[in-house]
Structure formats: C-alpha cells, structure tokens
Amino acid sequence: EAEVAQSPRYKITEKSQAVAFWCDPISGHATLYWYRQILGQGPELLVQFQDESVVDDSQLPKDRFSAERLKGVDSTLKIQPAELGDSAMYLCASSPVTRSYEQYFGPGTRLTVT
Amino acid sequence: AQSVAQPEDQVNVAEGNPLTVKCTYSVSGNPYLFWYVQYPNRGLQFLLKYITGDNLVKGSYGFEAEFNKSQTSFHLKKPSALVSDSALYFCAVRDGTYNTDKLIFGTGTRLQVFP
C-alpha cells in the first residue's frame, strides 16, 4: 500500500539554526499539504500545493518559513531561523486530484528546538 | 468560518463495551466530515468520512459514525471496544472556501480502553 514518506522522523535543533523537512507524497497525488501539530492540539494547515503551485499559504509565517515543490512531486519545508515556539510535529499529507478532500498523512517529523 | 468541536478531552471505556467519541460542527454549506486516529509519534490515519448519502457511515477497524444534521453532530462509535483502540481521535471538516481543501481539525479526544 502506497504511503506518504517524510524525513527525518525526529529533529533536534538549536534556536536560530536552520532546519528542513522533506516529504514524498503518494505517487500520482497532485495535492500536497504541510500541517503543524502543536502538542495537545489538532493539526493546522501551513501550506497547500496543487502540483508545483501554492494554493494556500495564508497561515505560513513567511518571515521564517518557506516551502517548495519544484517539480510538483516531493516537497521541502524550511524554517530559518528556528524559534522555541516552532517545536511541534510537522505532518505532510497528499490527496488525489479527483478526491482532493481525502488526505493521506505521512508519519510526521517531530521537531524540538532547544 | 468552518469549525469542529470535540467536547471531551478523554473518554474511558472498558474493553467489550460500546464507545462514543463526540464531535459537533459548524459549517456554511454542505459539510464534508472526517475522523482520523493518531497513535503515539505517528501521523494521522483515516478512519471514515461523510460526504453525502446515508447518515450512518462505516469505516476502518469496525468504527462507524452517525451524521445528524439537526444536531450538527458527527459522533464516532464502535459497538465493542478493544484495548488496541486506545489512541487520540480527531474530528475534522473540510474548509472548501476559495480554492483550498484544507481540513479544520478539532482538539482531539484521547480514548482509553481498559482491559
């Protein structure tokens, strides 16, 4: 069964350092999402891609966060510089174009900023 | 704005007993509703969805959910709980405004099934 891949699974970084997360969606899924889940809360969308184009990045803190999906397949989410409040689980999800509301989530990257 | 509410932080149930995890929603237009489950340090796993049709929706692992339009609820149910069902459960609604299909999640309900 196809799955969304994410790496690394865990990341510890110091405040003010740069950090990057990678996501490989299910093959053929045109839509890709990055969510942030703070401990004890539900996930919140950071950015949505349709192929290589950004559809929604209204909740992405653009002063420090950036996301790209250059060839419309895999994606990278970057934080520079990291802050203590960025400690969270970063989840990637993908969905097929014909049923874009069906989102399949990867295992997530647990970020700890010290 | 679209939203969902999960009024219980935790639900405790004995193995073999029926379980219910509550969710209410607030949407403009027709709701697309979802339940996901999350095990420790894992991503979210899809359980079931309501888009249209029968109000009783069946999903994975023996779970089902009942859509009630008059009460704006979408409660998750299972006739007989297993210890392995212990996890964090999230209700979600599709935003659907503008061009986004983002999901709006509730705060989650921790289900604890005791042997």
Side-chain angles (χ1 to χ4, degrees), chain A residues 9-10 33 35 37 41-43 45 48 55-56 91 100-103 105-107, chain B residues 32 34 36 38 41-44 49 51 90 94 99-103 105-107:
Chain A
R9 292 292 309 277
Y10 304 91
Y33 310 80
Y35 288 85
Q37 183 180 18
Q41 300 181 18
L45 182 76
Q48 176 185 343
V55 172
D56 183 357
L91 296 166
S100 55
Y101 47 80
E102 285 188 8
Q103 298 183 21
F105 284 80
Chain B
Y32 285 29
F34 305 83
Y36 285 83
Q38 187 175 36
N41 292 314
R42 300 288 301 276
L44 278 71
K49 68 178 184 290
I51 305 300
F90 288 97
R94 170 181 174 256
N99 292 322
T100 183
D101 282 307
K102 70 181 180 184
L103 296 178
F105 287 88
T107 51

Side-chain angles (χ1 to χ4, degrees), chain B residues 75-101:
Chain B
H75 300 333
L76 182 69
K77 300 181 179 183
K78 188 174 183 180
S80 179
L82 300 173
V83 172
S84 57
D85 292 330
S86 298
L88 190 57
Y89 290 80
F90 288 97
C91 181
V93 63
R94 170 181 174 256
D95 187 329
T97 55
Y98 304 104
N99 292 322
T100 183
D101 282 307

